[in-house]
Amino acid sequence: YAPSELTDSYRILSTPSSFAKDTLFYIQEIGKLKSLKSHTSKREALDSFLFIIVVSGSGSFTYNGKTYSLKTGDHLFIDCKNPYSHKSTDSDPWELMWVHFNGSLMDQYYHYFTNKTSSITFRPENQSEFNSLLENLITLANKKSTDSELLSSHLLNSLITRVLTDSTDQTTKELAAIADKIQHIKDYLDGNFQKKIPLDMIADEFFISKY
């Protein structure tokens, strides 16, 4: 297919100044995409970091050999030096907003992200804030000035901070929920230790897999 038959997209390529590359967070590419036909896009070995919002629809994203199913409201953050690919579903084509960006400290930020979270995807409680950040970054990417680079860096810093805190909070909540369920199971076993309790019964009682 010709590119126009695959996607309806709008993107801005940005070339940072030497000042921005040395001292700021800076945009490399930003835009919106609506999938028209299901197809696989593959990239690797990019000196860039990618943040994606699934605005609507669904699809799959493969990163470092692991595939994630994504749907409306999912957010994703990766280091593009590693290979990745993505594909929209045929039945529910997705619409994405994304930004490729970088900065002198981004390797350390991403290292923090991977140490604190168990997944490259998350669903923030306040999704509108992330949408607004990307919309404002798109506006600034259309302006070529030192001020716009400074303002973009400020917004990217806010974006990174929100990604790190929201994804960490989500992982913490998930771990807390698992710990809470385990405690309930332990209490149940302590209260019924004289009975024969098969795994199937526990699985049915607490809505979990016996494995």
Side-chain angles (χ1 to χ4, degrees), residues 16-184:
S17 66
S18 56
F19 169 74
K21 291 191 72 171
D22 290 341
T23 60
L24 303 175
F25 297 113
Y26 54 89
I27 298 170
Q28 296 167 309
E29 179 181 308
I30 188 168
K32 303 177 182 181
L33 175 150
K34 174 68 176 176
S35 182
L36 303 177
K37 293 181 183 291
S38 183
H39 66 287
T40 301
S41 294
K42 296 181 179 181
R43 303 181 83 176
E44 63 179 303
L46 299 179
D47 185 16
S48 179
F49 295 84
L50 174 62
F51 175 73
I52 291 177
I53 299 173
V54 182
V55 178
S56 64
S58 60
S60 61
F61 196 100
T62 300
Y63 183 69
N64 275 343
K66 183 176 180 179
T67 299
Y68 302 81
S69 295
L70 302 179
K71 58 183 182 298
T72 304
D74 283 334
H75 294 47
L76 177 144
F77 181 42
I78 65 164
D79 180 350
C80 298
K81 288 189 284 293
N82 300 313
Y84 68 93
S85 64
H86 53 83
K87 181 178 182 180
S88 172
T89 58
D90 284 313
S91 58
D92 189 20
W94 62 14
E95 181 179 358
L96 309 176
M97 293 179 66
W98 83 91
V99 58
H100 278 280
F101 64 98
N102 216 327
S104 59
L105 297 176
M106 275 309 304
D107 284 329
Q108 290 91 322
Y109 274 100
Y110 198 78
H111 181 69
Y112 180 91
F113 173 76
T114 55
N115 281 342
K116 289 290 185 181
T117 62
S118 57
S119 176
I120 60 172
T121 69
F122 64 99
R123 294 177 67 85
E125 292 182 2
N126 192 341
Q127 297 181 18
S128 62
E129 290 189 22
F130 285 90
N131 284 46
S132 295
L133 282 169
L134 260 63
E135 291 284 3
N136 289 331
L137 283 167
I138 288 173
T139 300
L140 287 170
N142 275 308
K143 301 176 181 179
K144 306 297 181 183
S145 69
T146 303
D147 286 348
S148 64
E149 287 189 326
L150 288 168
L151 292 171
S152 294
S153 180
H154 173 70
L155 290 180
L156 285 170
N157 186 46
S158 297
L159 174 64
I160 296 161
T161 302
R162 291 305 307 272
V163 168
L164 296 182
T165 55
D166 277 55
S167 57
T168 300
D169 287 346
Q170 180 171 309
T171 302
T172 301
K173 290 175 183 175
E174 290 172 353
L175 292 174
I178 293 170
D180 188 53
K181 178 159 285 192
I182 291 172
Q183 184 60 50
H184 283 307

Side-chain angles (χ1 to χ4, degrees), residues 183-197 206:
Q183 184 60 50
H184 283 307
I185 294 171
K186 181 180 180 299
D187 292 342
Y188 179 82
L189 293 173
D190 287 343
N192 297 275
F193 68 92
Q194 292 179 322
K195 300 177 182 178
K196 183 179 180 180
I197 306 175
F206 293 95

